[in-house]
Structure formats: structure tokens, C-alpha cells
Amino acid sequence: MSIIQTTEPGEATGDVAEIYADDERTIGYVPEHTRVMAVNPEAYRAWEQLIRAIASPLGLRRYELVTLAAAQGGHSAHCRLAHGNRMRTLIDEEQLEAIARDYRHADLSAAEVAMMEHAERISTDAPDMTEADAQRLREVGFTDREIVDITLAAAARNYFSRAIQALGVAVDVPPGLSDRLRGALLAPL
């Protein structure tokens, strides 16, 4: 239970009802983080627009991998579970479990590993990042635009993760996750 009072799904009206309905349509339920963030529906909609602007040029697979790594660095069980669940349509469960446990040894491309390392570092050590961090991404083929998009995706995940953590949002376990995948996503961060 969060520290914020939220509107029950059956009692929501206006923008909040629309936000809830979007989650019902796309994931089958309204997670607590949606309920809390929808207390300010204008900010929630702006957040969604920001994520679309970042994710679209990256592509869904890259965006979700960056998000998973940033959530790992930021110790966000909320986001690891939510985005691990979303990744089930992009990656088979066995590889997804391997990625969740140790993406460096999960049969990803060198570019994907470098991108995830960059995202995780943003969550743990952003003030000490230098040109060398960007150069590592260039060496595996990323353009400056892609480096900016990877950085924005990781930084945005940190914003959202920190907000829901600070507001005491309970961790929702998405329905349908296997015990093994849930365990991998929740392994000590």
C-alpha cells in the first residue's frame, strides 16, 4: 500500500479512468504504480509522451533492455518486474531469465551488453561518467543520437523508479510470471 490515497478503478472518472482503462487493455490490470502516478494525470500523460519519444527511435527491444539494466542499477523491483513482464513478448523466457540474472552472459550482442552496462552505470555512477563511456558505445556501433536516446531512457527510468519508491508504492507482481522468471527479476539487485 502506498503512502498516497488513490482512486479505486471502479470509481475513477475522466483522465484517471482513461489511464486505468489503458492499463486494463494493455496488461489486464491496474498496477499500484499507475494508480499513484495517475493522481496527477497531466504529469502521467506527459511521462507517457516522453517515453514514446525516447523509445520509438531506440526500438522496443533496445528500450526494454536499457530499462531493465537501469532498473537493476536503481534497485527497482517495481520496474524490473513490470519491464521483465513486457519483455516476454520480445525474448523467450529462458533468455529473459538469463538476462535478468546476468545480462553480460546471456547471449546478447556486444552492442546490447555495452548499452545495458551504460544504462546501469547511469543508475549507479552518473556523475563520474566521461567521454570514455560514450566512446565505448561508439566502438560497438552506436551513433551519438543513439547514445543520447540510451541515456535518456536510463535517466527516465531512474526518475520514475525514484518517484514510486519515494511514494511507498507496493511492488506488483504481474500475473503470469513464472516462479523462475520472477525469482530472476527479484534476485538481489
Side-chain angles (χ1 to χ4, degrees):
M1 184 84 159
S2 116
I3 61 174
I4 302 299
Q5 293 182 355
T6 63
T7 304
E8 291 295 323
E11 298 171 9
T13 60
D15 287 344
V16 175
E18 289 176 22
I19 291 168
Y20 287 8
D22 288 345
D23 273 5
E24 286 282 354
R25 268 191 307 280
T26 58
I27 60 174
Y29 71 106
V30 182
E32 188 170 348
H33 67 263
T34 296
R35 292 174 58 171
V36 169
M37 298 307 269
V39 168
N40 181 337
E42 297 82 13
Y44 189 88
R45 290 293 193 204
W47 163 254
E48 288 179 325
Q49 288 180 328
L50 174 65
I51 293 307
R52 278 192 296 277
I54 294 168
S56 182
L58 271 177
L60 190 55
R61 179 184 168 98
R62 283 183 173 177
Y63 171 75
E64 292 297 348
L65 288 170
V66 166
T67 296
L68 201 59
Q72 178 176 322
H75 303 282
S76 176
H78 303 85
C79 295
R80 297 251 312 155
L81 286 167
H83 289 275
N85 186 48
R86 288 186 183 151
M87 290 182 74
R88 293 187 313 154
T89 63
L90 304 171
I91 298 172
D92 71 70
E93 190 159 319
E94 186 176 319
Q95 185 180 26
L96 183 52
E97 182 184 336
I99 292 166
R101 291 196 187 283
D102 182 359
Y103 62 83
R104 289 172 185 87
H105 299 97
D107 199 29
L108 295 173
S109 71
E112 289 172 327
V113 171
M115 172 184 75
M116 291 181 77
E117 288 173 339
H118 190 81
E120 186 175 10
R121 183 143 189 237
I122 288 166
S123 298
T124 61
D125 200 22
D128 291 328
M129 293 180 82
T130 67
E131 170 69 20
D133 295 290
Q135 187 56 36
R136 169 74 177 113
L137 292 177
R138 286 186 192 103
E139 288 169 0
V140 293
F142 289 106
T143 66
D144 282 356
R145 168 62 192 258
E146 290 169 324
I147 294 167
V148 168
D149 291 338
I150 291 164
T151 302
L152 288 172
R157 180 55 38 210
N158 277 280
Y159 155 78
F160 197 82
S161 295
R162 297 294 186 251
I164 62 178
Q165 289 167 339
L167 294 169
V169 174
V171 175
D172 286 310
V173 177
L177 281 184
S178 70
D179 289 342
R180 287 181 55 97
L181 181 54
R182 185 179 67 239
L185 291 165
L186 292 175
L189 305 169

